Amino acid sequence: MNAIDLLIEDHETLKDLLSRLTDTTERAVKTRTDLLQKLEMEVSIHTQIEEQILYPAYKEAGGKEEMKMYHEAKEEHRTVDALVLPDLKATDPSSLEFSGRAKVCKELLEHHIEEEEEEMFPQARELFDAKRLEEMGQQMAELRTRLKKEFSARNAA
């Protein structure tokens, strides 16, 4: 699978988790907790895949516009990883505050996904030939498998 298709598949998974999370009510504490844990894992893995494989290649192959998009995308990742998700995890899942924070998380991630799919990914398809996109896709699939195993091992301990 090529890199862009793999990332779009990840985006679909994230959007599904976000919709399911924001559709829950204050009474769905276990569901919210489980969905949040899955969301955290998927966001973490997806972020690492992009930041270790696609983003550096994209920045290197591109010009000034790609450099700006690279930095904006990394900042959006940092906002979600360092601020929004930790805040949501620290919020009582039976509260209305959780509902509000989940909605904000969803909006931020959907905005980020939209920018990648409408701007960055089309540019990446122009910057890289099919062979390079396949190579990156293979690297991403291998990294995803390793990170999922690490995440599962951490949560089992």
Side-chain angles (χ1 to χ4, degrees):
M1 178 179 298
N2 86 37
I4 305 302
D5 293 339
L6 183 140
L7 295 172
I8 289 172
E9 199 174 87
D10 277 2
H11 287 170
E12 293 306 314
T13 299
L14 290 171
K15 289 191 284 190
D16 176 61
L17 286 169
L18 289 162
S19 291
R20 288 170 46 206
L21 183 63
T22 55
D23 286 347
T24 61
T25 66
E26 295 74 46
R27 292 194 336 248
V29 174
K30 177 158 179 27
T31 302
R32 282 181 167 186
T33 304
D34 292 346
L35 287 170
L36 185 54
Q37 185 176 5
K38 286 179 185 153
L39 179 66
E40 180 186 26
M41 179 188 77
E42 293 295 338
V43 165
S44 172
I45 290 170
H46 181 76
T47 297
Q48 290 182 66
I49 286 170
E50 285 185 333
E51 291 189 359
Q52 291 180 34
I53 298 168
L54 178 68
Y55 287 9
Y58 178 82
K59 183 177 85 167
E60 188 178 306
K64 186 176 180 184
E65 273 309 303
E66 288 79 12
M67 181 73 79
K68 281 170 45 180
M69 185 160 287
Y70 163 85
H71 286 290
E72 180 182 340
K74 284 203 48 141
E75 188 58 28
E76 287 173 343
H77 281 179
R78 189 186 72 79
T79 300
V80 170
D81 293 342
L83 303 171
V84 177
L85 272 178
D87 230 21
L88 188 56
K89 283 177 56 183
T91 305
D92 177 359
S94 68
S95 68
L96 287 172
E97 186 178 23
F98 184 95
S99 301
R101 288 183 176 176
K103 187 174 188 311
V104 167
C105 182
K106 181 178 189 267
E107 289 170 353
L108 281 169
L109 283 168
E110 285 177 344
H111 164 79
H112 175 74
I113 287 167
E114 185 179 314
E115 282 191 340
E116 283 187 342
E117 290 184 2
E118 292 180 8
E119 297 173 42
M120 181 182 270
F121 293 174
Q123 290 170 340
R125 286 188 198 277
E126 289 179 22
L127 291 170
F128 306 113
D129 62 18
K131 183 176 184 280
R132 181 70 177 114
L133 287 172
E134 286 293 329
E135 289 169 359
M136 285 193 285
Q138 181 63 39
Q139 291 174 319
M140 289 175 179
E142 290 167 7
L143 180 58
R144 178 201 277 155
T145 300
R146 184 172 56 82
L147 292 171
K148 275 197 176 180
K149 283 181 188 165
E150 288 174 12
F151 206 93
S152 295
R154 250 196 335 263
N155 285 343

